[in-house]
Amino acid sequence: MEDYFKSGEICKKAREYGITLIKEKAKLLDIAEKIENKIMELGGECAFPVDVSLNHIAAHDTPKFNDDRILNKGDVVKLDIGVHVNGKVSDTAITVEVGTNKYERLTKASEEALDNAMKIIKPGVKLREIGSEIQKTIQKYGFSPIINLSGHGVDEYEVHSKPIIPNCDNNDSTELKENMVIAIEPFATDGEGKVTEGKPSGIYELINEKNTRNNNARKILSFIKEKYKTLPFCERWIIKEFGVGAKLSLLLLERKGIIKQFNVLPEIKKGQVSQAERTVIVGKGVIN
Ligand code: MN
Ligand code: MN
């Protein structure tokens, strides 16, 4: 339990620091790397690459190693940060608009949905009741929850474990139990309320521990197993360690079904998207 609180504390500080970096003309790559470095400075490890997802991209966008994108005035930024301490994961996200407040209500909708969900969380509450609370709150603002994205349990070296915490009433009557560690993450949109699979993100995860005969790929694979275990990692981190040639090895490992790559997740009608996320220990409260 101790490590979860430590992880949560670092996660919270990293989020607060991240907010100060979101400014017009800031490079996405700098934002992600500075937050990742801050996490390590504070004594944590990244549970996944920092995601900086813009506008209609709801999630899973981390800068590439040579990314030259910058923030522009009016961008709606979802900053999603994960920390682990000895494998104990905490997950948090926040939405910040760059220099404007056109989407203030959209951001408020996901924040208030998160707050309202937190208010009812205790042992015995049904998953569908949390989803319903999120849905009602977002709809009250005239927006839609993204129903094919959801909160989740976290586990040792695992960012997404059971249960799924829905962003709508999904009829799941499973009850929360004392000491479950869960991340609640409402997404609100002025679009359709669904995401689809977009471009490859450069974020990967080990899915099959079988080996490969290719020397370079084998070296990288053993690094991945040792350093990230079953947690997501990204091309940028691997290139930092092994040089740009490592891209070929990642491709090979992906083709062999040893690692899988995530895609970025755009809203299906290119609607604007906001997100708010915190991790909570049921019966104990929010940790980040
Ligand atoms: Mn997250
Ligand atoms: Mn999450």
Side-chain angles (χ1 to χ4, degrees):
M1 205 66 99
E2 185 68 29
D3 284 341
Y4 273 116
F5 287 111
K6 225 184 264 177
S7 167
E9 198 52 43
I10 295 168
C11 208
K12 182 182 173 178
K13 285 183 182 152
R15 180 183 67 229
E16 284 162 359
Y17 172 66
I19 293 170
T20 69
L21 303 176
I22 298 180
K23 292 185 191 127
E24 208 180 326
K25 302 275 185 291
K27 275 186 83 177
L28 272 63
L29 180 59
D30 290 341
I31 295 171
E33 287 191 326
K34 282 180 177 169
I35 297 170
E36 288 165 0
N37 290 335
K38 176 66 85 180
I39 289 169
M40 291 181 275
E41 250 174 63
L42 293 168
E45 297 283 337
C46 297
F48 53 81
V50 167
D51 289 340
V52 189
S53 305
L54 304 184
N55 305 317
H56 71 285
I57 307 293
H60 290 178
D61 200 344
T62 199
K64 297 282 165 60
F65 77 103
N66 57 354
D67 212 307
D68 57 8
R69 287 178 294 168
I70 58 165
L71 293 180
N72 291 304
K73 192 170 178 178
D75 277 340
V76 176
V77 183
K78 276 77 64 187
L79 195 60
D80 200 329
I81 300 170
V83 172
H84 81 86
V85 172
N86 296 319
K88 305 296 193 295
V89 172
S90 63
D91 189 359
T92 188
I94 191 154
T95 302
V96 182
E97 199 174 331
V98 183
T100 51
N101 50 18
K102 194 174 164 202
Y103 293 100
E104 203 177 350
R105 289 184 72 257
L106 185 70
T107 301
K108 253 196 112 194
S110 53
E111 278 172 4
E112 198 175 305
L114 176 67
D115 287 346
N116 289 346
M118 287 301 182
K119 281 180 195 152
I120 63 165
I121 284 177
K122 59 176 181 195
V125 163
K126 296 181 174 67
L127 297 176
R128 62 180 299 178
E129 293 174 316
I130 301 171
S132 169
E133 196 62 37
I134 289 171
Q135 180 170 26
K136 269 192 302 190
T137 307
I138 291 173
Q139 286 174 345
K140 191 186 74 188
Y141 279 87
F143 300 119
S144 301
I146 295 185
I147 58 168
N148 59 345
L149 287 175
S150 47
H152 47 90
V154 299
D155 214 332
E156 216 155 300
Y157 293 102
E158 221 182 308
V159 182
H160 294 113
S161 69
K162 281 187 175 163
I164 283 172
I165 317 287
N167 285 328
C168 61
D169 182 351
N170 67 346
N171 280 320
D172 188 342
S173 292
T174 309
E175 294 179 1
L176 292 182
K177 294 193 189 84
E178 178 98 31
N179 292 335
M180 270 181 160
V181 190
I182 54 174
I184 312 291
E185 52 180 314
F187 289 82
T189 181
D190 57 7
E192 172 91 10
K194 269 190 182 166
V195 289
T196 184
E197 300 278 328
K199 291 180 193 155
S201 67
I203 302 171
Y204 298 87
E205 193 174 81
L206 182 65
I207 51 167
N208 187 332
E209 295 225 7
K210 71 183 173 195
N211 235 320
T212 166
R213 279 200 301 242
N214 179 286
N215 250 328
N216 289 332
R218 205 168 55 218
K219 238 189 279 168
I220 289 170
L221 181 58
S222 77
F223 177 80
I224 291 165
K225 283 183 188 167
E226 167 75 22
K227 178 104 174 144
Y228 309 121
K229 300 190 168 59
T230 43
L231 291 168
F233 60 93
C234 61
E235 178 194 276
R236 174 162 57 79
W237 292 351
I238 299 298
I239 287 177
K240 189 170 270 175
E241 193 69 29
F242 295 94
V244 75
K247 282 177 87 163
L248 260 173
S249 301
L250 287 174
L251 189 67
L252 190 142
L253 292 171
E254 189 183 1
R255 284 205 183 132
K256 290 217 164 204
I258 296 172
I259 60 175
K260 97 167 183 199
Q261 185 169 190
F262 295 89
N263 294 320
V264 304
L265 299 173
E267 208 282 330
I268 206 161
K269 288 266 171 70
K270 292 203 166 181
Q272 194 59 262
V273 178
S274 73
Q275 175 200 18
E277 180 176 27
R278 295 286 188 282
T279 305
V280 51
I281 302 179
V282 178
K284 305 269 186 296
V286 179
I287 62 168
N288 57 11

